[in-house]
């Protein structure tokens, strides 16, 4: 390799120009830096500013609509308060049996249009009991007697009871049993004493509440 | 410091440029983060706006619900109040005791108790001991069950009594007083109160527009009620109906009572049947008249007889007595009321008069009756339709009315004439001159007056024609 040496004094030497490499590098660097800062500017002053303006608008819109939403929330709260009372009334209402109606129907059935051949029935008492347990229905117990000594008349009474309107809600009825009793102070002396018990279905299974619900299989 | 060579300068500038690029890139990264935050914040708020808009869209329905519920709130509070209101309840019980006639011997209010852990209501139990007949007991229970505040009968224990009310002279088993233990339950609402009412804009107009819905909802919330109509002639099933020795007390034997009962059940049933047929729209007017006539005649006989039987207490056996009330007395009263009602309804009808065909029918029937000499039948027929013929003078049926009234006048005169004692003992027919009739022992010639409004018109061998009050009436033999 040949070495060239410039022997001229320094002040007479030709000034060295920027090398093309450096020049190219500087140009590239300037472009890169400008592009980077330009991008930043676009994002910061362009997109972000637009979004901030949009955010401001959306916030104002939300503020306006929130008033309507709050009004709805207040209405809804009030509706819920009112509805709870209604629901409560419906809940307790469905669990009530009108015992006057039951007694009226029981009297109709027992009076039996005075068909004495069928049965002449009277009761010595009545006990109606309702538990607070919603799974249990009320129970009715009526000790009584039919005139004469034929158990067939007790069976007739039971048939009439089973045909009474209230019976659709009865889950179980005592069988027609009893025993002959004598009371010399009455004419005729014989009667066939019995104790009629009726077990009603739970209120949720009454016909007015949709009738008995199908039992789900237990796993 | 030595002069940098090109490579070093290149590295230096490259490094500077890289630093600046990294700085700018970091700025972009940071700014993008801000953009993302902002975008997320906007998206969140737009979500909130959507949610708010969804709520706003539901406002009309919510307002509607609130208005309907609020307008019925007083009804709900009546059924299920916020407090026990014991004093108010006692006043109600006192009023029910008075109305039903029961005698309350014991009243014990219980404490308020919560139904269940999360329940919105508590119950208060009240216990009563009372003495009353079965009908009084049922009336009392019915008043409780139909009360505007929700009351539930939880337990009832009835022990058949053998005693009658003090001073009660009734021999009826229905008056036996029983011992009753009654447990009832009322309810108190424990939920939060509705608080301050939300102000609904333009409330009055919206409420007015919803008035129908408000009413419907009010009906829906009403509790089950039962209309107890009283004993309706039924016997008390908590009384042994068998007779005690000597209880018949000289009344009819049971077989006779049963026969009497069955007889009058049949009579009343027959009368009801006549009424049904008389009111059947398929029945023509003349038939209606006949059915109503028979009904009225039947009632005129049966009603006093039934009253007499009741006054004499002929049906004394309690079982028959209850059936008598149910199947004889009650239907009879209903029948009498229905006859009275139908007369009133007929009077109030839009065109209460007979139509032209019916007029013609009645006229033809009356003429027929008159020619057959059925004067009472003709008179009864007219009287049966008298209320239905008073058409005004400008009505096209007026001429028929006049004809019908003329026939009635003729009938009435004929009836009056028939009551006169006119004993025709003989006639003297004179072809050439005036004939005569031997009447009540006196001879009258044609044209001669018997009294001031009756004279002999013509005499023939088979009949004598008289003129009475302007009408020609013929007697034959």
């Amino acid at each position: 390799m040949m070495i060239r040496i410039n022997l001229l004094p320094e002040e007479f030497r030709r000034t060295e120009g920027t090398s093309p490499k450096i020049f190219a590098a500087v140009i590239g660097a300037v472009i890169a830096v400008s592009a980077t800062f330009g991008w930043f500017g676009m994002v910061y002053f362009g997109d972000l500013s637009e979004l901030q303006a949009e955010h401001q608008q959306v916030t104002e819109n939300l503020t306006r609509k929130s008033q309507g939403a709050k009004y709805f929330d207040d209405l809804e709260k009030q509706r819920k308060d009112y509805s709870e009372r209604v629901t409560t009334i419906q809940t307790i209402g469905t669990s009530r049996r009108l015992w006057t109606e039951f007694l009226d129907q029981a009297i109709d059935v027992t009076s039996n249009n005075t068909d004495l051949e069928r049965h002449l029935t009277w009761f010595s008492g009545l006990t109606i009991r309702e538990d607070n347990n919603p799974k249990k229905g009320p129970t009715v117990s009526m000790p009584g007697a039919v005139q004469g000594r034929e158990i067939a008349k007790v069976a007739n009474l039971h048939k009439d009871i089973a045909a009474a309107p209230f019976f659709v809600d009865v889950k179980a009825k005592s069988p027609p049993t009893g025993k002959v009793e004598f009371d010399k102070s009455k004419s005729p002396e014989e009667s066939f004493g019995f104790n009629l018990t009726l077990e009603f279905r739970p209120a949720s299974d009454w016909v007015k509440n949709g009738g008995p619900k199908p039992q789900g299989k237990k796993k | 410091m030595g002069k940098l060579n090109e490579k070093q300068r290149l590295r230096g500038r490259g490094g500077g440029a890289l630093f600046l690029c990294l700085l700018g890139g970091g700025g972009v990264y940071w700014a993008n983060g801000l953009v993302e935050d902002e975008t997320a914040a906007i998206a969140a708020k737009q979500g909130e706006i959507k949610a708010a808009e969804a709520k706003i869209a539901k406002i009309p329905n919510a307002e509607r619900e609130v208005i309907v519920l609020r307008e019925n709130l007083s009804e709900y509070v009546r059924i299920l109040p916020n407090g026990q209101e014991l004093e108010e309840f006692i006043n109600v019980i006192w009023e029910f005791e008075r109305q039903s006639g029961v005698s309350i011997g014991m009243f014990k209010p219980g404490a308020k108790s919560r139904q269940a852990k999360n329940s919105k209501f508590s119950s208060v139990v009240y216990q009563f001991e009372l003495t009353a007949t079965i009908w009084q007991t049922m009336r009392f229970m019915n008043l409780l069950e139909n009360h505007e505040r929700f009351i539930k009968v939880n337990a009832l224990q009835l022990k058949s009594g053998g005693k009658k009310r003090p001073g009660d002279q009734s021999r009826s088993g229905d008056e036996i007083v029983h011992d009753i233990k009654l447990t009832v339950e009322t309810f108190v609402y424990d939920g939060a109160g509705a608080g301050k009412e939300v102000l609904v804009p333009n409330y009055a107009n919206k409420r007015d527009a919803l008035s129908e819905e408000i009413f419907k909802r009010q009906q829906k919330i009403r509790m089950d009620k039962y209309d107890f109509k009283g004993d309706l002639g039924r016997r008390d099933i908590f009384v042994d109906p068998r007779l005690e020795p000597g209880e018949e007390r000289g009344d009819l034997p049971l077989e006779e009572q049963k026969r009497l009962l069955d007889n009058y059940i049949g009579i009343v049933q027959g009368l009801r049947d006549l009424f049904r047929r008389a009111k059947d729209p398929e029945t023509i007017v003349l038939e209606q008249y006949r059915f109503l006539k028979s009904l009225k005649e039947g009632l005129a006989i049966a009603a006093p007889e039934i009253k007499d039987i009741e006054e004499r207490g002929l049906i004394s056996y309690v079982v028959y007595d209850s059936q008598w009330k149910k199947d004889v007395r009650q239907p009879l009263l209903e029948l009498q009321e229905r006859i009275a009602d139908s007369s009133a309804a007929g009077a109030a009808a839009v065109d209460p008069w007979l139509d032209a065909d019916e007029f013609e029918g009645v006229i033809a029937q009356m003429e027929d009756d008159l020619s057959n000499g059925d004067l009472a039948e003709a008179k009864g027929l007219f009287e049966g339709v008298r209320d239905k013929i008073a058409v005004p003078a400008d009505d096209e049926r007026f001429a028929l009315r006049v004809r019908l009234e003329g026939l009635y006048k003729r009938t009435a005169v004929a009836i009056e004439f028939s009551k006169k004692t006119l004993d025709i003992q003989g006639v003297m027919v004179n072809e050439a001159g005036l004939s005569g009739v031997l009447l009540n022992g006196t001879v009258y010639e044609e044209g001669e007056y018997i009294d001031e409004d009756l004279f002999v018109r013509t005499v023939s061998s088979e009949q004598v024609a008289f003129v009475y009050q302007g009408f020609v009436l013929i007697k034959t033999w």
Side-chain angles (χ1 to χ4, degrees), chain A residues 97-162:
Chain A
R97 183 145 213 108
L98 295 169
W99 290 110
T100 319
E101 186 177 17
F102 164 79
L103 263 176
D104 230 7
Q105 291 169 355
I107 290 169
D108 276 344
V109 165
T110 310
S111 294
N112 192 33
N113 286 331
T114 325
D115 183 357
L116 300 183
E117 294 305 312
R118 191 163 172 75
H119 64 81
L120 174 60
T121 309
W122 64 94
F123 296 96
S124 56
L126 163 74
T127 305
I128 295 170
R129 192 169 290 124
E130 280 198 59
D131 267 347
N132 269 338
N133 183 354
K135 289 181 181 168
K136 278 186 73 181
T139 54
V140 176
S141 173
M142 299 173 85
V146 293
Q147 181 174 288
R149 53 188 307 155
E150 300 100 321
I151 193 165
K153 292 189 174 178
V154 180
N156 287 341
L157 169 70
H158 276 248
K159 280 183 199 162
D160 290 348
I161 291 280

Side-chain angles (χ1 to χ4, degrees), chain B residues 126 188 208 221 257 292 311 343 375 406 416 418 462:
Chain B
Y126 301 88
V188 174
D208 293 347
I221 199 68
Q257 290 188 33
L292 278 174
E311 281 173 356
S343 301
L375 300 179
E416 209 177 310
S418 69
E462 290 174 350

Side-chain angles (χ1 to χ4, degrees), chain A residues 19 22 29 36 55 65 71 73 78 85 88 96 99-100 104 108 113-114 121 123 126 128 187 208, chain B residues 6 13 17 25 38 53 63 70 80 82 121 145 151 156 158 198 224 226 234-235 237 243 319 326:
Chain A
S19 90
I22 290 177
T36 309
H55 192 175
K65 299 222 160 142
Y71 173 59
D73 289 341
Q78 193 139 68
R85 195 187 288 261
T88 305
R96 179 170 73 164
W99 290 110
T100 319
D104 230 7
D108 276 344
N113 286 331
T114 325
T121 309
F123 296 96
L126 163 74
I128 295 170
S187 173
K208 73 169 184 175
Chain B
E6 186 181 319
R13 282 168 194 166
E38 205 70 14
E53 282 172 345
E63 274 183 344
R70 190 183 291 171
L80 188 62
N82 292 321
F121 57 95
E145 289 178 331
I151 301 175
L156 170 71
L158 183 149
V198 178
D224 286 347
Y226 181 68
R234 296 170 299 178
R235 71 182 168 90
I237 60 169
L243 297 172
V319 177
K326 188 163 79 67

Side-chain angles (χ1 to χ4, degrees), chain B residues 420-476:
Chain B
K420 284 191 170 287
T421 310
L422 296 173
D423 184 16
I424 297 172
Q425 293 150 324
V427 291
M428 291 162 287
V429 181
N430 183 356
E431 298 291 335
L434 292 173
S435 300
V437 57
L438 179 60
L439 187 72
N440 300 339
T442 309
V443 175
Y444 297 95
E445 286 187 344
E446 286 173 341
E448 194 173 349
Y449 275 87
I450 300 164
D451 57 37
E452 58 185 14
D453 52 6
L454 174 68
F455 71 91
V456 180
R457 189 180 182 222
T458 55
V459 177
S460 69
S461 57
E462 290 174 350
Q463 60 184 39
V464 179
F466 298 92
V467 174
Y468 180 63
Q469 293 184 12
F471 289 91
V472 177
L473 298 158
I474 295 165
K475 259 194 175 278
T476 55

Side-chain angles (χ1 to χ4, degrees), chain B residues 231-233 324-335:
Chain B
D231 63 16
L232 298 174
W324 176 272
K325 287 174 188 162
K326 188 163 79 67
D327 293 337
V328 178
R329 185 202 292 167
Q330 194 68 26
L332 185 77
L333 289 174
E334 281 172 12
L335 194 57

Side-chain angles (χ1 to χ4, degrees), chain B residues 308-324:
Chain B
D308 180 56
I309 288 166
E310 288 179 353
E311 281 173 356
R312 289 165 63 198
L314 294 179
I315 308 288
S316 58
Y317 181 36
V318 65
V319 177
Y320 295 156
D321 182 51
S322 69
Q323 197 181 359
W324 176 272

